[in-house]
Amino acid sequence: MIEISPTDRVFILTGAGISAESGLPTFRGEGGLWRNVRVEEVASPVAWQRDPQFVWEFYSMRRRAASQARPNPGHTALAALERALGNRLFLCTQNVDNLHEQASSHDAVHMHGELFKSRCERCTLPPFDDTNTYEPPASLPRCECGARVRPHICWFGEVPFHVDRIYRALDECTLFVAIGTSGMVEPAASFATHARSRGRTFYVGPEEPANASAFTECFLGKSGEVLPELFRF
Ligand code: OAD
């Protein structure tokens, strides 16, 4: 049980594990996406320059899978926590699916982008909603400026989104909870260490993450089972 006091400010970081019980594969575990596909062939600027069609096939496949997925009790518990804490909760996700939004979380900060958005690779038009799939024989999407449209995803080697806002929230939080993330990808893997200098840090997932030493306590179990009973305020 995690006690939340009336003055606590809570930072939640979610990873692929929270969506596992909704049927979406994680990246590194058994059956994980990176077990079948080489990251550098689909999720890097080099891959995009070399074979944009292949990159779009990968994200089209993920759009199809994510469009079938529904939130699980883990997502629902975090939406309830937002209703209880209001702006004392900051929800940051590495996930590009929209399951937090489907569960009625209103301000999930997507540091690795959003699967159902696309943007121009060149001009400054903002990212736009896009649920289309782009696979042969369909041609690749183009912006009105003539450049290619790419998935609105932070690829390896790119800077995550919203970092200023995220580090401000980390500086302010007194309680940090990471859920379903292996602790292997920076900068998110270092958030717990950052937060620990000023408060309590917890992890929720079926196994200890790589950065387990940064946590005050790990609650081992599936997030859909642990989260609904975890918080007391
Ligand atoms: P990983 O695949 O690295 O880790 C998923 C974690 O979820 C593992 O530690 C599992 O133990 C845990 N897990 C599995 N089932 C779970 C369940 N039911 N409940 C809770 N936890 C469960 O995924 P991430 O850490 O999210 O980046 O990966 C971080 C980033 O690496 C991703 O955002 C992605 C990837 O490359 C980009 O694509 C930019």
Side-chain angles (χ1 to χ4, degrees), residues 14-25:
T14 62
I18 197 170
S19 297
E21 288 156 87
S22 296
L24 296 180

Side-chain angles (χ1 to χ4, degrees), residues 15-18 20-21 26-29 34 62 94-95 112 153-156 179-183 185 203-207 221-224:
I18 197 170
E21 288 156 87
T26 61
F27 291 95
R28 294 173 181 78
W34 296 158
R62 292 187 59 195
Q94 296 166 89
N95 298 345
H112 288 166
I153 300 284
C154 172
W155 286 326
F156 283 88
I179 301 158
T181 174
S182 58
V185 175
Y203 180 75
V204 178
E207 62 204 355
K222 294 180 175 180
S223 48

Side-chain angles (χ1 to χ4, degrees), residues 9-197:
R9 298 192 76 85
V10 181
F11 189 115
I12 304 271
L13 171 69
T14 62
I18 197 170
S19 297
E21 288 156 87
S22 296
L24 296 180
T26 61
F27 291 95
R28 294 173 181 78
E30 204 177 307
L33 284 171
W34 296 158
R35 296 281 181 101
N36 304 316
V37 192
R38 284 158 57 92
V39 181
E40 56 277 18
E41 282 176 9
V42 290
S44 73
V46 172
W48 175 247
Q49 294 311 330
R50 191 190 299 138
D51 194 346
Q53 178 69 67
F54 190 59
V55 171
W56 262 123
E57 281 174 32
F58 177 70
Y59 286 100
S60 296
M61 177 270 289
R62 292 187 59 195
R63 280 184 178 180
R64 266 200 309 277
S67 65
Q68 307 290 321
R70 296 294 167 259
N72 66 58
H75 299 101
T76 310
L78 295 182
L81 192 62
E82 177 188 283
R83 284 194 292 281
L85 299 183
N87 65 7
R88 291 193 294 123
L89 180 80
F90 188 87
L91 175 57
C92 175
T93 185
Q94 296 166 89
N95 298 345
V96 297
D97 64 52
N98 62 3
L99 294 179
H100 285 305
E101 287 79 6
Q102 281 195 49
S104 297
S105 283
H106 290 104
D107 197 15
V109 173
H110 286 268
M111 64 181 291
H112 288 166
E114 293 177 71
L115 191 54
F116 294 111
K117 287 189 177 173
S118 302
R119 70 173 194 265
C120 177
E121 66 173 348
R122 184 173 67 194
C123 79
T124 53
L125 281 178
F128 57 91
D129 293 339
D130 187 7
T131 54
N132 293 319
T133 53
Y134 300 105
E135 289 156 306
S139 54
L140 292 183
R142 293 231 167 230
C143 177
E144 60 197 43
C145 79
R148 291 175 301 195
V149 164
R150 58 167 276 179
H152 182 50
I153 300 284
C154 172
W155 286 326
F156 283 88
E158 297 185 317
V159 179
F161 303 105
H162 313 296
V163 275
D164 290 350
R165 221 182 133 194
I166 289 169
Y167 278 100
R168 259 199 317 278
L170 273 177
D171 283 338
E172 287 171 1
C173 79
T174 55
L175 204 167
F176 174 91
V177 188
I179 301 158
T181 174
S182 58
M184 293 172 71
V185 175
E186 295 293 353
S190 297
F191 289 175
T193 307
H194 194 101
R196 194 162 185 181
S197 60

